[in-house]
Amino acid sequence: MAATSSSLASHLSIGLRRHSPKLDSLGSQPSLSATHSFFDTVHFNLRLSLTASKPSRPVVAMAGTGKFFVGGNWKCNGTKDSISKLVSDLNSAKLEADVDVVVAPPFVYIDQVKGSITDRIEISAQNSWVGKGGAFTGEISVEQLKDLGCKWVILGHSERRHIIGEKDDFIGKKAAYALSEGLGVIACIGELLEEREAGKTFDVCYQQLKAFADAVPSWDNIVIAYEPVWAIGTGKVATPQQAQEVHVAVRDWLKNNVSAEVASKIRIIYGGNKSLSACLELH
């Protein structure tokens, strides 16, 4: 199948994964007026990733065992009209049976999207409050998200960490509360450019993982999204090898600090520059 010329898949995808992480963008800015088929391009990229050349320096890793996961963070973008068009395009797409598909609209459009998108695509929020709702101006509670039909929430995104100033332990507590109330969590981790250049990539990711591990009651309903901050909207591209090395390290950390079962089963996806379309976890 030929890839479409649209970058919609790059704009909307969080990642793809089966026995290995397949990659696309949690971090790019979407153009909601794009008209080509997101899932046609995802299908192409998936086949590309399964046939791509192996990295020059092999990475041997314990493979995951879950379904593919593909999704899109729409960030603070869109209007009622443009989102209606996008939902129409998604509804007309052919979806593979072995793929979990999730979209994360802005809060104000969640109800619109939930009421018009196919049941085959689940809804994620882009953030949630750390506890039960109340006098917290501007926040959105997990209970409210569930009332709207959300199944997932993105927590720890780099823009929440580095622009809003959320700290690791606060993010961990938010994840724990969301999970306790039945929402799945897309748990984001990743390093800044200066941290990578200083050789601190693994340390940063481990610290962020530990904050989740210290707080969450279970890893059963978590997807980990590795997103190097320096590859989000900068034009810089993480190589498959760079992303792969972090995925391997994450599984190894989980094996040593949580359990071998969690390390084997959890889905690890990639978010970052849209140009990175293939990465193999070698068996």
Side-chain angles (χ1 to χ4, degrees), residues 9 16 24 40-50 277-278:
L16 299 171
D24 219 47
D40 282 350
T41 309
V42 166
H43 185 275
F44 173 81
N45 284 340
L46 174 58
R47 298 299 174 253
L48 172 64
S49 68
L50 293 175
S277 62

Side-chain angles (χ1 to χ4, degrees), residues 128 142 145-146 150-153 175 178-185 221:
S128 63
V142 170
L145 295 175
K146 290 173 61 181
C150 289
K151 301 296 185 182
W152 296 86
V153 60
L179 291 166
S180 73
E181 294 299 312
L183 277 189
V185 170
N221 206 19

Side-chain angles (χ1 to χ4, degrees), residues 214-228:
D214 287 346
V216 300
S218 169
W219 291 79
D220 289 344
N221 206 19
I222 297 177
V223 171
I224 296 174
Y226 167 60
E227 49 161 17

Side-chain angles (χ1 to χ4, degrees), residues 98-207:
D98 62 344
V99 181
D100 285 335
V101 184
V102 177
V103 295
F107 288 123
V108 294
Y109 299 123
I110 287 175
D111 197 43
Q112 175 189 346
V113 173
K114 179 61 179 175
S116 57
I117 204 164
T118 172
D119 290 340
R120 177 66 179 78
I121 300 176
E122 294 185 331
I123 308 297
S124 173
Q126 299 178 21
N127 183 42
S128 63
W129 179 237
V130 71
K132 190 176 178 62
F136 307 107
T137 301
E139 288 294 340
I140 307 292
S141 73
V142 170
E143 291 82 4
Q144 290 170 325
L145 295 175
K146 290 173 61 181
D147 188 42
L148 289 175
C150 289
K151 301 296 185 182
W152 296 86
V153 60
I154 300 170
L155 295 174
H157 192 281
S158 62
E159 290 153 6
R160 301 293 306 180
R161 293 179 185 272
H162 301 296
I163 298 175
I164 307 302
E166 293 186 358
K167 303 300 183 185
D168 293 341
D169 60 344
F170 183 65
I171 295 166
K173 291 175 182 177
K174 292 206 299 185
Y177 187 76
L179 291 166
S180 73
E181 294 299 312
L183 277 189
V185 170
I186 301 169
C188 301
I189 63 172
E191 80 283 6
L192 298 166
L193 179 59
E194 55 264 35
E195 292 168 336
R196 171 165 282 274
E197 291 177 341
K200 296 180 179 179
T201 293
F202 293 162
D203 291 340
V204 170
C205 291
Y206 295 160
Q207 177 179 319

